[in-house]
Structure formats: structure tokens, C-alpha cells
Amino acid sequence: MRTVRLRHAADFPEWRDAARMLLLGGVAPHEVDWRLGEEGLFAEEPAPRATASPPVTPLPRVPPSFLELAEAVICHSDPARFELLYRMIARLQVDRQLLSDRMDRDVVAARRLEKAVRRDAHKMTAFLRFREVPAEGARRRFVAWFEPDHHIVGRTAPFFARRFADMDWMILTPKGSASLTDGALRVSEAPAQKPDLADPTDALWLTYYRNIFNPARLKVKAMMAEMPKKYWANLPEAALIPDLIAQAPARVAAMAEQAARRPPAFHDRIQARAPAEPLPPMEGLAGLRAEARGCTRCPLHCQATQTVFGEGPEHASLMFLGEQPGDEEDLEGRPFVGPAGRILDDTMRQAGLDRSAAYVTNAVKHFKYELRGKRRIHQSPSSGEVEQCRWWLDREMALIRPKLVVAMGRTAVSALTGKVPKLADLRGRLHALDAGRAMIVTVHPSYLLRLPDARARGREAIRFREDLEAARDWLSSPTSSPAR
Amino acid sequence: MQRTLTERLAILSDAAKYDASCASSGTEKRDSARSGGLGSTEGSGICHAYAPDGRCISLLKILLTNFCIYDCAYCINRSSSNVARARFTAEEVIWLTLEFYRRNYIEGLFLSSGIIRSSDHTMEQMVRVARELRTTHGFRGYIHLKTIPEASPALIEEAGLYADRLSINIEMPTDAGLASLAPEKRPAGIRRAMAGLRTKIEEMGEPTLRTKARRRFAPAGQSTQVIVGADAASDATILSTSGRLYGSYGLRRVYYSGFSPIPDASSRLPPQKPPLMREHRLYQADWLFRFYGFGIEEITAARPDGMLDLDLDPKLAWALAHRERFPVDVNRAPREMLLRVPGFGVKVVQAILAARRHRRVRLEDLGRLRVSLRKVRPFIATADWTPLRLIDRLDLGALFRPAPEQMALL
């Protein structure tokens, strides 16, 4: 049995040096007796020298994840931590993957210690309270007293240095202290004495604590799980807890018994204010758009963000009609601004059409979707929804009176004609609508997005462009009249 | 007569406590060691205290004022309520935030306000507090600003520049519910504002073409709150609203706040508060949706009234209704199925997947991970355990329900 005395309770480099030498000396884990004390390394026996026998591997290596684990575990107050870590280091020399076996006894034990240390450090960042003390220089000065379970002062001090950089502070604990003075961080392992501290601002904090508590929902166990009693001694607000709990039932009962009172005078004044003068109804397209904003003709309005109304000049001779807004259109409130809109824009440009001169709209004005995980997936509108929304489309048609409508996709065609056609039968030709208007049928640009095969996509993009070119040619011919 | 700062702090924190959110997590990393100033944020939030209501106190959660021109029935600050009224100046809020922060009471500020005069006026006051904290005082702690849906885009943009998180509460799960209890609020306006926030958050999160730098806009995203039990909406309705909000606006969190009795309550409210357990079950269901791959309908399909079982957690309830999917072979099942085992959390599943490469998992291995064997045993098979007929027992559900309480003699 070899006794190793470590000088520091949680000094990872000190332990690592000792472990490295033991490992090089081929000392088996069960042969080491780890002790904490003053006399220093290997006091009771000469330090093991790295000799040629037993067979020496090059310097022992460990995965970086072990270093991270060990740096936490070493801070635990369990005296068996050194032995556990040394045993793991020895095992890691044979089995590099040891740490990924999360059910291994040693790994489980080490992870548990690590978790306790992390929790203790986290609670220190949470429950430590600074009290202001008189300062000598320009920087304000604060002192805190905290009682951690483990040797975490050195590990946690940098957090406070990052956070409280513009003041001087000192943290005192039975397991060491830390201070920041003029930006210089110092940490010591020497136990400190509990100072006598008082800060008048604590009274405001207690006022806040008392009032943010809701007596109608007492959940003492939930509080105790996160803020166990061992921390209460150093939390100024904890002194309030017993009374807050004791008075809660009476406060709730008082609320229930309170008779309804007359509203205060200012409520009557607000209510008496004349409702804002209703705006004069707007004319034309702007009026129609304003009216459609509040549309509740079908249930889709509850699911979607907003009505996405058509957009373009009031007397455009060319209208583009799609199916319904998609995700981006729904968020922005404008038609064809998403991926399909970008295809439409590009193709219009290639076909020599000016989007700003055309009126662009959809057969259904609200986005219909189903949730798949956290994503909204487009869902085709039902014939009933198309029918309800035709109310708006008819008004748009009547107001804008386009000479030609480019119907993109099946829903657009059926909204215009009331029939459910096969797209391929109508595509690329001109069709007469009533009132001397013409319709040209093509695919919806999102169809191009859905094609998985790049060659097919290229082919279809050309056809789509040709359809738009046909629309352009028809519009610019002097004798444009719908073909039969 | 002017009230003292302490009196106003009492009124304006009491007025803020019905907002459940107190999170300070999920924002960018910053600290004051290099840049000067005061404060830091390091990813995970810190709860600096817990109140006996079980809620964490992470932020100084106060209202700028509890005067309000709206008359929302569920709200303690509605215009028809007789609660004491008060207001802070922007300077007072800033002073309280900084002094509380220096003493390590808090992670930062969650500022909200009653609507006074107009939406823009109110929003302007709140943005001023955030702006001065950041620019004049170099405050690097967490700031959460309540956002007023009708405020002008320029103000919202400035709010996002200084705040870590922005939130707009939808309060009622349905448009009809909002119309009946909060007549001044506009559900469509709330949705539009949330859509605007999502668009801004995503747009600013993209690196710019020239400098590749990301611009700053609410790095901790947006959240919202739904009040549970103030109207007749079922859990299924509430959860489908949440699902829609997560999907549509990329919310980080939907908070569920069990409607709670308030002083001088409106007669338009139900006399009974919902059980606290209902709120808890909704949070569990929300977690299943966000981290366990459950669809909303799967969680709420079990009961015809659309309510979650108060006695059973929703995952267990789902498993009992889908016994044909069990037992799950812990040594073979894919991650998605392991996540559906009642009693396995995300971390346990990760550990199982990693350990499977080293060993055939046995019951005692799971015990070492601190899994409740009593709970998982009927639903799993391991190298040394098959539940035989346990999964078919008709009374399996009863094994998990709380023991019936014996009636006492009067």
C-alpha cells in the first residue's frame, strides 16, 4: 500500500502530477491510499520513480472529456474522489471508450459527483448575496458570505469576475475565499470566518420577495426542491417564508369573500370617452382590402396570421392568380413573397413582364396548413373554402377588370370557372371567361419547387416561362380577344 | 400624496406576479470583464430565489405603471379594479435593477406596463428604460420587455436592439375567449405582431452580406403566455393553440398560467380556480411536443372531452392507451420509441443509446441511472427482463394512479 498525501483539497494539477507518476510507476489503483494533509506529496514513502520496469508506456493519455469530468469531480468533498479518478485513469489506458459507457459503475459514480459539484457551483451563483460595505477608492465594495458543500470557490470565482467587473468584491466561505480588487482576481483555500454584514437595500429586496409571491398557489415542496433549507441561513428573504406560508390561506379566503366593489372613477371616465370616430369607408381597392382584413367567412382566419390580399395597380390588365398564401406570405401579409414568389418574379422577368404592372392575388386569402412537428406544412384548401373566398375574388375581378388572368394551378382555375379541371387539358391555351376576359392556364410555381429531378425541373421551368410569354404576346397584340 | 419607493415597489411587483415567465436563459454570451460595465449572461439562466408558490425568481419582474385603460376581466390591473395604483419613473426602475443586480438578487429585468394614453407612449417608456440601462450604465445582464402589439415598428426594432427577449401574451387560447374577456385586445393584431417579431428575429439572425456580422434583435427570442381556466377552453384547444404558435412564430416558450384568484376580481370570471395540477399537465404535454416527438393530437386524443388526465402524466396516459407499442426492447429500439417510454427522459435515452454499444442493458443498469424501475418495468424489455403479461393487465392504469382516499367519518 502506498500513501499519497495531497496538500490541496481540490487542486487538479497537483492530483494529476501524482496520478501521472503513479501510473508511470505501474502502481495499481487498489495499492494507493490517498490522503489530504499538510506534509506534501508522498510524505510517507519516497516518491515512485519512473523506472524501466514495469513496462512503461509513453506518457499516459486521456480523452479531453475525462479532464473536464475530473476537474469537476476533484472539487467534491467525498474523500474517495481521488481513488475513483485514479482507477478511471488506469482503466482508460486500456479502454479508451470507457466514458461513453454511461452505465459503468465508475462512470456512474464520477458523473454523480460531477453533477453534485456543478449543482453546488450553480447554487452558489444563485444564492450568494453581496452586501455593500464602505469603500476607500472610487470603486464600490461588496462582501458576501456563502457556505458551499464542496470545494468550489476557485471554480466559481471567475463567474463573479465576469459578472461584477466594475466593483470590488470579496466572497468568504468556510472552504476558501475569492476577491476582485481593481480588476485583479485572487482565490485562497484558507477557511474564512463569517463576517457581520448588513445592507439597507435588503429591505427593498424583501419587499419585492413578499409581493411577487402569489398566496393563491402554495407549492412549498417545489420551492424546497430548488432552494433547500441548508441555504436559508444566508438568504435574507428566507426569514419571510414561514409567515408567507402561514398567512396564505387567510389571504386567499379574504379575496374570495370580498364583495364586488364599484369600479373607480377613472374607469367610468375611460368608458365614457366617445369611441373614436369611425373612419369614412374607403373606396375601391383600398376599401376592399381593409374590409378583407377582418374576414371571418371561414374558420381559416383563426389559424392564419392575417388575410393576404391581392397586390398591384387598381386597373392592371394582367392578373396572376395563385392558390393560397404560404408560410412567408402569411407572416408578411403580402402575396407571392416566398420561394414560389421568387420563381414567379424570375420567370416574369425572363418573359419580359413587369410584376409591378400586374395584379397578383390568390384564390384563398388565408394560409391553410397542418403542423408536422414544429413546422407548418401547406395543405390544399377545400372546395368549400375556395367557394367562401370567391366572394373576395369576384370583387377583385369586378374592380380591376383584367383583360387576361394567368391562372396558376388547379385551385386557381376552379376558383375562376367553378369546375374542377385536369390542368393538362387546359394548359397553354387561351380560354374565355365572362365579360370578355381571357384566362391562360399554367402550373403553380410551387410545382417547380416540388419536382425532385433537376432535369424535369429545368424542362418545366421552360414551359412555365413559355406560358408567361404567351400571356405577354397576347396582351401586346392589338387584336387581343379570347379564343374559344 | 406621493407613495414611497418601497410602497410603489410593493404595488408594482404585486401587479406583475401573474405573468409566469421569469426565464433568463437562451440568450447570447456576454460579460463585463473585458467590455466594462456590469453584468453577464452565460447561456443558462439562474434562479436567484424561489417563492413559496414554487416559482423561480430570476428577474426583477415589475410594471412601469399599473394604471391601464384596458378592462381585461382576468387582469388585476384592469381599469375597473380598485387595486392601489402607482407608477415608477424610468430612473427608479433603472436604479432598482442595478442595485438588485449588484447584490446578486437577480439576473436582470422583466419590465411590463399597463397601457397608458397610447400603445406607442407606453412602449416608448419601456424602451427608454432598456436603452439607458444598456447605453448609459453599460448593463450586460438580461432584459425581457413586454411588447405592445400595436406599437410602431420603429419602437419594436429599438426594443429588440436592447432586450434579450420580447413577449406578447395571447392570454386566451381562442379568439372568441379573448373577445369576451378582453374586449380591447385584438387577436389578429397579436398574431401579426408575433409574425413581425419572428420575421425580424430571423432576418437579424442572418449574417449581413458585407460584414458577416449578425445584427442584434432579441437574441433570446419571443415567448407568450396563455391563461388556463378563465374560460371554458379545453386542454386540447389550449395545446393546439400552442402548437400553432410554436409552428407559426418560432416561439421559444409558451407559458401556461393557471387562472388565479385576484383581489377585487371581476364577476365575469369563474368562481373556482383550476387545479394547479392542470397547469402542470399542460407543461408536461408541451414538453412532449417540443422534445419527445409527440404530436399535439396524440397527447390529447385519449379523452373525448379534450382534457388531460389529472392523475396520470400525459406520457403514461398515452402509453396506457397504446399498449400494442410496448414492451419496448431497450437494447434494440430506436431513439424515437425509447423517448415514448414513461419514465425515460431525454438524458436517460441518450445514456442508453451510448451504453448499448458497450453492453446488453439490464434492469440494474437502468437502476444505476436513477430510473424508477417500478414505473418503467411494465413498458420495457431488457436482457434480463420481459414484462410477460403485465402490459396486458386491465388494471395497469390503477397501479399508477394515486391511492384512493378513504372517506372519513364526520
Side-chain angles (χ1 to χ4, degrees), chain A residues 151-351:
Chain A
H151 305 279
I152 53 163
V153 176
R155 195 182 161 79
T156 320
F159 165 85
F160 291 98
R162 289 192 295 274
R163 172 159 292 197
F164 301 103
D166 74 345
M167 60 195 215
D168 287 349
W169 49 260
M170 188 187 280
I171 295 170
L172 305 172
T173 87
K175 290 187 166 65
S177 59
S179 68
L180 187 79
T181 312
D182 291 327
L185 179 65
R186 276 184 209 90
V187 178
S188 145
E189 255 196 10
Q193 292 294 313
K194 182 172 181 174
D196 218 6
L197 295 170
D199 187 328
T201 306
D202 276 356
L204 279 171
W205 170 240
L206 297 196
T207 301
Y208 177 67
Y209 185 82
R210 200 180 293 117
N211 286 284
I212 204 72
F213 161 62
N214 182 351
R217 37 177 308 143
L218 217 45
K219 276 180 141 180
V220 180
K221 249 164 80 185
M223 170 188 68
M224 300 291 274
E226 293 297 337
M227 198 169 81
K229 265 206 164 129
K230 64 179 178 194
Y231 295 110
W232 288 19
N234 296 315
L235 288 169
E237 63 272 26
L240 300 175
I241 294 173
D243 278 353
L244 289 179
I245 296 174
Q247 292 157 6
R251 288 174 66 188
V252 177
M255 278 193 264
E257 275 160 28
Q258 190 183 49
R261 284 188 281 168
R262 253 201 62 67
F266 81 88
H267 171 74
D268 297 336
R269 282 202 301 277
I270 294 166
Q271 295 291 312
R273 267 186 217 165
E277 219 30 38
L279 295 169
M282 280 179 280
E283 296 283 309
L285 193 57
L288 199 59
R289 176 177 288 122
E291 209 183 316
R293 264 172 85 108
C295 177
T296 54
R297 297 176 62 84
C298 77
L300 288 186
H301 76 276
C302 292
Q303 311 285 318
T305 302
Q306 52 194 323
T307 304
V308 179
F309 207 67
E311 208 177 65
E314 188 148 351
H315 297 294
S317 52
L318 178 61
M319 177 191 269
F320 279 84
L321 181 64
E323 183 196 58
Q324 64 158 347
D327 186 73
E328 290 184 38
E329 287 81 6
D330 173 72
L331 296 175
E332 260 192 65
R334 297 179 51 210
F336 285 98
V337 292
R342 286 189 278 278
I343 291 189
L344 178 62
D345 285 352
D346 288 346
T347 315
M348 280 177 84
R349 211 171 303 123
Q350 289 162 18

Side-chain angles (χ1 to χ4, degrees), chain B residues 61-78:
Chain B
K61 181 161 58 178
I62 46 176
L63 299 194
L64 201 51
T65 172
N66 65 340
F67 285 98
C68 190
I69 56 176
Y70 283 9
D71 196 36
C72 309
Y74 48 77
C75 182
I76 184 175
N77 305 310
R78 68 187 187 286

Side-chain angles (χ1 to χ4, degrees), chain B residues 118-224:
Chain B
S118 67
S119 302
D120 269 2
H121 176 80
T122 310
M123 195 69 211
E124 215 288 316
Q125 300 285 310
M126 290 199 283
V127 169
R128 205 184 121 205
V129 171
R131 178 176 55 230
E132 290 192 11
L133 273 171
R134 292 281 192 238
T135 55
T136 313
H137 301 276
F139 180 65
R140 316 236 180 276
Y142 194 90
I143 297 180
H144 178 164
L145 287 186
K146 181 101 329 195
T147 309
I148 308 208
E150 293 80 16
S152 72
L155 276 172
I156 305 253
E157 188 145 333
E158 211 188 344
L161 181 63
Y162 301 121
D164 291 287
R165 169 166 290 180
L166 298 176
S167 64
I168 303 168
N169 287 356
I170 66 157
E171 309 289 18
M172 289 291 132
T174 62
D175 288 7
L178 199 65
S180 74
L181 293 181
E184 291 94 351
K185 291 205 175 189
R186 297 276 167 270
I190 292 174
R191 285 196 284 272
R192 264 201 301 280
M194 284 181 168
L197 287 183
R198 173 183 152 181
T199 307
K200 267 266 168 299
I201 288 167
E202 285 173 0
E203 181 190 315
M204 299 295 209
E206 293 286 315
T208 54
L209 276 177
R210 272 185 13 170
T211 61
K212 305 285 178 212
R214 287 187 171 77
R215 288 156 299 166
R216 203 168 180 286
F217 189 88
Q222 60 168 328
S223 64
T224 193

Side-chain angles (χ1 to χ4, degrees), chain A residues 122-130 159-160 163-164 205 208-209 226-227 231 235-237, chain B residues 22 24 40 44-51 55-60 100-101 103-108:
Chain A
H122 182 78
K123 292 299 183 192
M124 180 169 170
T125 65
F127 297 149
L128 176 141
R129 301 281 181 261
F130 279 120
F159 165 85
F160 291 98
R163 172 159 292 197
F164 301 103
W205 170 240
Y208 177 67
Y209 185 82
E226 293 297 337
M227 198 169 81
Y231 295 110
L235 288 169
E237 63 272 26
Chain B
C22 202
S24 54
S40 62
S44 68
I46 299 175
C47 296
H48 285 272
Y50 289 81
R55 280 184 170 161
C56 127
I57 301 175
S58 180
L59 304 172
L60 171 62
F100 275 24
Y101 197 87
R103 285 161 180 81
N104 206 38
Y105 303 151
I106 54 167
E107 285 294 286

Side-chain angles (χ1 to χ4, degrees), chain B residues 96-364:
Chain B
L96 278 170
T97 307
L98 294 171
E99 292 306 312
F100 275 24
Y101 197 87
R102 284 189 189 286
R103 285 161 180 81
N104 206 38
Y105 303 151
I106 54 167
E107 285 294 286
L109 173 69
F110 177 4
L111 187 62
S112 182
S113 177
I115 309 282
I116 37 171
R117 281 195 257 175
S118 67
S119 302
D120 269 2
H121 176 80
T122 310
M123 195 69 211
E124 215 288 316
Q125 300 285 310
M126 290 199 283
V127 169
R128 205 184 121 205
V129 171
R131 178 176 55 230
E132 290 192 11
L133 273 171
R134 292 281 192 238
T135 55
T136 313
H137 301 276
F139 180 65
R140 316 236 180 276
Y142 194 90
I143 297 180
H144 178 164
L145 287 186
K146 181 101 329 195
T147 309
I148 308 208
E150 293 80 16
S152 72
L155 276 172
I156 305 253
E157 188 145 333
E158 211 188 344
L161 181 63
Y162 301 121
D164 291 287
R165 169 166 290 180
L166 298 176
S167 64
I168 303 168
N169 287 356
I170 66 157
E171 309 289 18
M172 289 291 132
T174 62
D175 288 7
L178 199 65
S180 74
L181 293 181
E184 291 94 351
K185 291 205 175 189
R186 297 276 167 270
I190 292 174
R191 285 196 284 272
R192 264 201 301 280
M194 284 181 168
L197 287 183
R198 173 183 152 181
T199 307
K200 267 266 168 299
I201 288 167
E202 285 173 0
E203 181 190 315
M204 299 295 209
E206 293 286 315
T208 54
L209 276 177
R210 272 185 13 170
T211 61
K212 305 285 178 212
R214 287 187 171 77
R215 288 156 299 166
R216 203 168 180 286
F217 189 88
Q222 60 168 328
S223 64
T224 193
Q225 168 170 290
V226 188
I227 297 176
V228 177
D231 67 354
S234 70
D235 292 343
T237 307
I238 294 172
L239 288 168
S240 79
T241 297
S242 306
R244 201 157 45 74
L245 293 173
Y246 283 124
S248 302
Y249 311 121
L251 296 185
R252 293 287 181 90
R253 281 291 293 274
V254 174
Y255 289 92
Y256 305 94
S257 182
F259 148 70
S260 167
I262 49 174
D264 198 21
S266 160
S267 55
R268 281 183 286 164
L269 288 179
Q272 279 288 315
K273 67 168 185 169
L276 284 179
M277 187 50 92
R278 185 173 174 203
E279 187 186 294
H280 183 62
R281 294 287 180 238
L282 284 168
Y283 276 116
Q284 288 178 315
D286 187 271
W287 239 257
L288 292 183
F289 170 65
R290 288 191 297 147
F291 304 116
Y292 288 81
F294 280 81
I296 296 284
E297 312 73 41
E298 284 185 286
I299 305 168
T300 53
R303 290 172 47 150
D305 62 355
M307 298 301 277
L308 298 172
D309 195 325
L310 290 179
D311 290 340
L312 296 176
D313 76 68
K315 198 190 203 185
L316 185 55
W318 179 85
L320 290 173
H322 295 85
R323 297 187 192 195
E324 73 285 356
R325 310 277 297 268
F326 296 94
V328 168
D329 185 341
V330 171
N331 285 296
R332 286 213 187 82
R335 181 171 184 277
E336 303 78 65
M337 204 51 220
L338 289 173
L339 283 171
R340 296 200 167 220
V341 175
F344 283 177
V346 174
K347 281 190 183 154
V348 166
V349 169
Q350 253 162 6
I352 290 173
L353 292 173
R356 276 199 320 207
R357 276 177 274 139
H358 295 264
R359 58 175 72 220
R360 300 259 300 139
V361 176
R362 307 167 68 86
L363 270 191
E364 57 167 330

